[in-house]
Structures are given as structure tokens and as C-alpha cells.
Amino acid sequence: YAKLTDESKMLTAQLKLATSETGSFAQAQKDVRAIATAVRTDLDSTAALYGKLQLNSRELGLSQKDVAKITTATAQAFKVSGASTVEASQGIRQLVQGLQSGVLRGDEFNTIMEAAPRLSKAMADSLGVTTGELRKMAEEGKLTGGVVSKAILDASEQIGKDFSQLPVTFGDAMTQIRNAAVITFGAFDEGGQFSTSITKFLIGGTKGMADWENAARTLGNTIAVEFSRIGGFFDAIQQSINMVSSAFSYLSGLPVISPVVRWLGDVIS
């Protein structure tokens, strides 16, 4: 429950941040859910790509509708390429990292070439180059966010046609179930604010640990002092016993007094 509600909160926060300057949060939330449902991808990676594109939409010259198209085509391209849900999620995140840096190259580009050859071919076709030349463009830093976005947008229709030929797999169904759980538990928690209340309680408890620590330290010091006093008391008794014992030993050695000492010893015993 906690993991699902946390994921729902993070998705909401991510999309709100992405649409803080341009676009509509309500539309973004609707788009991400629709894309994840139609393409059968996880909400997390879908929202990550959508959010990054929307956040930079002004610089990339994209409308919110374009952002939805590019996100859809990218997710579809990974599916058409045969990538698993995990591989698609990782590949999309690599693309997000490339967009964050401003240029798609290095490990990010290699991951996309391996996990989504359909996407790299679509970009190459849109740019009028071969995949080999596309790799060279990546090495030269020519695959900027704007170039990549436009290339995917141009190829989105054809990628969509290819995707429509794919069957729904068992893995797709499980992804859909988890997405539904994230949305449902997120809405349930938002209505009741349960996780927020629990989190506040736990955080408040950890802050109270400092008071508990001080109280425990004071108690420990008090106990140590009392044990020290008790130890001093028993030391005094032991010294008195030793003195009496020494005195008896000394007196028992005197010829005149020794019978009396022995008699006192018998009485004490």
C-alpha cells in the first residue's frame, strides 16, 4: 500500500512540476494514464518521459498535444522492438536522461539502439540518414532534444500502425493491473490522507527520539551515581569487618587475652 501510494504521489508531483509554467496538469494526468493504458506500459516511465518533454516544451517548440504523441510513439516503438516492460522502462529512462543533458549520445543512444531499433530506424528515416549515419550524428552531438523530438513526432503515425499489429501479452495485463492499483490506491489515499497521517506520526516519533535519548542518558547517570553510593557503603562495611578481624587476630596472639578472644569468637559465631 505504502509503495503504491508513494508512487502515485510522485507521479502527481512530477506532472504538476512539468506543467507549472506551460500546459495543463489535468490534461497531463489524463494523457499519461491514457498512454499507459493504450500502450500497456508502466505509469512511472511514461510520466517521466511526458514530464521531461512538457517541462522543456517551450524550448523544443512542442505543444502539449505533441508531447503526448511523442510519448506514445516512443513507448510503442519499444513494444514493437520486442522490449519487455522492464527493458522498455529502462530504455525510456535513458531517453529521458539524454533529453535532460540536451543531447542524445553515449550510453543513452546505445541503449535505445539495442532496446528499440524501431525507434532508431524511425529517427533515421525522418532525418533521411542510415542507422550508421545516425550513430555518427550521435557521436558528433547532433542529436539534440529538438532533433530527436521532431524525428519521433514525424514517425509517430507509422509507429502507431506497427504497434496495432501486436497482441496483448500476459505481461501487458499484469502491467495494467499494477497501473490500476497505483491509480486506485492513490485516489483512496488522497481522499483519506492515510499515508500523510502515518508519515507525520512516524516523523514526529523520530523527532521525539532526541527527548527520549536525553531522558535515557539522565536516567543512566542517576543509576550510576546510586550504584556508586551503594558500592561505597559496602566498601565501608568490608573495611570495618577487616579491622575487626585484624583486631581479633592480634588479640588472639596475646597469652593473657587469647582465651577471652576465643570465647568472644565462639559467642559471635
Side-chain angles (χ1 to χ4, degrees), residues 222-234:
T222 302
I223 293 173
V225 170
E226 293 303 320
F227 269 114
S228 177
R229 290 176 179 174
I230 293 172
F233 172 73
F234 281 111

Side-chain angles (χ1 to χ4, degrees), residues 21 25 43 54 63 137 150 152 166 171 178 218 225 257:
E21 295 184 4
F25 164 71
L43 284 167
Q54 183 59 40
S63 66
M137 289 180 66
K150 185 179 182 304
I152 297 175
L166 296 180
R178 191 179 191 286
T218 301
V225 170
I257 303 178

Side-chain angles (χ1 to χ4, degrees), residues 39-40 79 162-170 172:
V39 188
R40 306 182 290 278
K79 286 283 188 180
D162 295 341
F163 174 78
S164 65
Q165 304 301 314
L166 296 180
V168 178
T169 65
F170 179 76
D172 291 338

Side-chain angles (χ1 to χ4, degrees), residues 92-122:
I92 290 173
R93 289 197 171 279
Q94 289 290 322
L95 178 58
V96 171
Q97 290 180 15
L99 293 174
Q100 284 178 328
S101 65
V103 179
L104 182 64
R105 58 183 166 189
D107 292 337
E108 290 84 7
F109 177 79
N110 291 333
T111 298
I112 292 173
M113 287 287 285
E114 294 171 6
R118 182 65 185 87
L119 184 62
S120 58
K121 183 179 183 304

Side-chain angles (χ1 to χ4, degrees), residues 22-81:
T22 60
S24 163
F25 164 71
Q27 186 61 48
Q29 191 174 54
K30 181 179 178 181
D31 287 344
V32 168
R33 291 179 179 181
I35 294 167
T37 299
V39 188
R40 306 182 290 278
T41 56
D42 66 286
L43 284 167
D44 190 27
S45 61
T46 304
L49 178 56
Y50 187 102
K52 182 52 60 179
L53 289 169
Q54 183 59 40
L55 190 62
N56 297 282
S57 59
R58 186 174 296 170
E59 292 80 359
L60 298 174
L62 301 173
S63 66
Q64 193 162 3
K65 188 175 181 180
D66 291 335
V67 169
K69 282 185 176 181
I70 294 171
T71 304
T72 300
T74 301
Q76 289 176 336
F78 275 95
K79 286 283 188 180
V80 171
S81 298

